[in-house]
Amino acid sequence: MDVGEVCIRMRLFQNSCFYPSYLPRLNQLAAKAVSFEERRRVFLHDRFGASHFLQPVLEGASEAFFTNGDDEVLQRRWAREQGMPGEPTLEAILLAQIEHHATEVLYNLDPVRYPSAFVAKLPGCVKKAVCWRAAPSGNADFTAYAAVLGNAPSILDIWRRRGCRVESFFPAHDPVMDEYGHGERPVDVAFAGGYSRHHRVRARTLERVAQLADSRNIVFCLDASRLTRLAESTLGRLLPLRRHRRPDAIAAIAKPPVFGRELYELLGSAKIVLNGAIDMAGTDRGNMRCFEAMGCGALLVSDAGEYPEGMQEGVTIETYGTPEQAAEVISRSLQDWPGPAEIAARGRARVRGTYSKDVQWKAFVDLVGRL
């Protein structure tokens, strides 16, 4: 049975979400979109989070339904178009969408917002509900889901100890990445990601690498936390928030965050993409930026740890142990670029083959069949 035949037999609903800092970009891209379908089409075309979106969603299969349950503009458009009275909650709209679609399998990427209490309200058509979670989440309860999916074994162990069934599952190579990174790579080192209290180890690495900016083209696109933004404001500089401000070396080159196709463009223009896990990740490695950087053909330089299949130090990626080592690996790689460029090319080929959308979808179908 091929992927298309499997899809016909599964009415799939995938619910996602996005960072608040992405909303201004989405609103700008979708300024002329007046319907639910138009706004959703704009979002999917921009590829934000596409590594997590299942093949039937990206291919527009009629049996698959996708939405961002936290996008109030999008969801209220659907509610109005369907004639829902009054001002229903976002939860009520999501439940109505699931019932209207006659969903059989729900895959929820936003379980903190929609935890076990939400699962208990699902209509009877839903046979299986699974969720993705790759981070600790306080006291969130996901036990009503048939399984919690993730690619970080230590995080999955947390949910297992809390009474959840867990299953290993991976992001995938977005085929749109193949459009990027085939010309010159004028950026020597790129980093795109968050900067908050959860990134203290990462922050020290960023500071050390930022010091290479005197002789190299270093681009940091940082999504700073609200506390960091406050600490760096005029008012914040009068408050005891010094430890939340970015070091001068980082602040001097920091640019606003990039998302979607702008992120792909940055990764595709960089020789090296620097990555660092959040402090809560333990020794597990393989966050989504690894898949994106390799998929866009950059050399991934990331912190040492336990990586998934296909991400091998010195073969498809390079790793470092300390902030100083990160700067050393980067400097050495740039000085001898033809060799590291071959590692990047192998990495791109490996992630494209090992983590294709076809492989991801077949793994999902197999997973659901075991539940």
Side-chain angles (χ1 to χ4, degrees):
M1 182 178 295
D2 65 22
V3 173
E5 291 173 327
V6 171
C7 184
I8 290 173
R9 299 180 59 182
M10 180 191 298
R11 293 194 64 79
L12 170 73
F13 191 114
Q14 187 163 13
N15 175 59
S16 189
C17 57
F18 49 72
Y19 304 141
S21 48
Y22 175 71
L23 184 58
R25 172 173 170 82
L26 175 59
N27 285 339
Q28 181 180 29
L29 292 173
K32 296 182 179 179
V34 297
S35 68
F36 170 85
E37 176 57 35
E38 289 172 340
R39 184 175 175 90
R40 181 176 63 178
R41 187 183 306 119
V42 168
F43 173 81
L44 288 173
H45 180 265
D46 196 39
R47 315 309 280 192
F48 178 97
S51 293
H52 286 298
F53 301 159
L54 298 176
Q55 190 176 46
V57 166
L58 293 179
E59 293 183 349
S62 60
E63 298 81 12
F65 189 95
F66 175 91
T67 196
N68 285 311
D70 64 337
D71 184 349
E72 188 163 358
V73 173
L74 180 75
Q75 293 298 81
R76 296 208 177 281
R77 284 183 182 172
W78 187 90
R80 287 195 299 270
E81 291 167 8
Q82 298 300 319
M84 292 184 71
E87 290 290 325
T89 64
L90 292 181
E91 180 184 273
I93 296 171
L94 188 59
L95 288 168
Q97 288 172 325
I98 292 169
E99 185 170 19
H100 184 267
H101 174 250
T103 299
E104 295 173 323
V105 176
L106 170 66
Y107 182 27
N108 183 20
L109 302 177
D110 192 14
V112 174
R113 188 184 306 271
Y114 298 107
S116 287
F118 171 79
V119 177
K121 301 175 186 178
L122 291 173
C125 59
V126 179
K127 297 180 175 64
K128 305 281 177 63
V130 298
C131 68
W132 166 276
R133 192 61 184 166
S137 307
N139 296 320
D141 177 14
F142 304 150
T143 54
Y145 283 95
V148 178
L149 315 186
N151 67 327
S154 64
I155 301 298
L156 290 179
D157 282 344
I158 292 174
W159 300 120
R160 184 184 292 109
R161 292 194 296 270
R162 293 187 181 182
C164 300
R165 174 169 176 167
V166 301
E167 294 284 346
S168 181
F169 194 63
F170 292 88
H173 172 73
D174 177 9
V176 170
M177 294 175 186
D178 293 340
E179 301 173 12
Y180 295 85
H182 298 289
E184 292 295 319
R185 292 181 176 266
V187 175
D188 290 315
V189 183
F191 174 86
Y195 191 98
S196 74
R197 66 183 184 279
H198 300 303
H199 306 95
R200 299 206 183 282
V201 176
R202 176 190 291 179
R204 292 196 295 271
T205 301
L206 290 178
E207 182 177 13
R208 181 63 185 86
V209 173
Q211 293 169 3
L212 301 176
D214 288 342
S215 59
R216 297 292 185 179
N217 184 10
I218 313 292
V219 176
F220 287 177
C221 294
L222 302 180
D223 191 4
S225 68
R226 285 179 294 179
L227 190 55
T228 295
R229 293 196 298 270
L230 173 61
E232 294 181 349
S233 68
T234 302
L235 174 61
R237 292 186 180 279
L238 302 176
L239 301 174
L241 298 174
R242 182 179 180 84
R243 67 190 182 95
H244 297 287
R245 297 176 197 136
R246 294 174 290 195
D248 291 343
I250 295 177
I253 63 172
K255 295 185 177 182
V258 289
F259 303 105
R261 288 178 180 264
E262 277 193 342
L263 173 62
Y264 287 2
E265 185 66 37
L266 173 64
L267 302 181
S269 67
K271 296 180 180 71
I272 293 172
V273 169
L274 176 65
N275 181 61
I278 62 173
D279 295 356
M280 298 178 290
T283 61
D284 290 334
R285 299 293 182 266
N287 60 346
M288 195 164 68
R289 186 68 74 247
C290 297
F291 293 86
E292 292 168 335
M294 296 173 72
C296 290
L299 174 66
L300 175 66
V301 174
S302 192
D303 44 348
E306 299 297 321
Y307 280 88
E309 179 185 357
M311 299 182 187
Q312 185 178 354
E313 196 276 331
V315 179
T316 57
I317 67 173
E318 292 287 6
T319 64
Y320 60 88
T322 66
E324 290 71 27
Q325 289 174 352
E328 292 169 5
V329 169
I330 287 171
S331 295
R332 184 174 64 249
S333 297
L334 291 173
Q335 289 168 4
D336 183 29
W337 181 240
E342 292 178 2
I343 295 177
R346 281 197 297 271
R348 186 172 205 170
R350 188 73 59 84
V351 78
R352 183 191 288 128
T354 305
Y355 300 100
S356 70
K357 282 295 174 185
D358 180 69
V359 169
Q360 183 189 48
W361 173 238
K362 288 180 179 178
F364 185 84
V365 172
D366 290 344
L367 185 159
V368 170
R370 296 195 302 268
L371 299 178

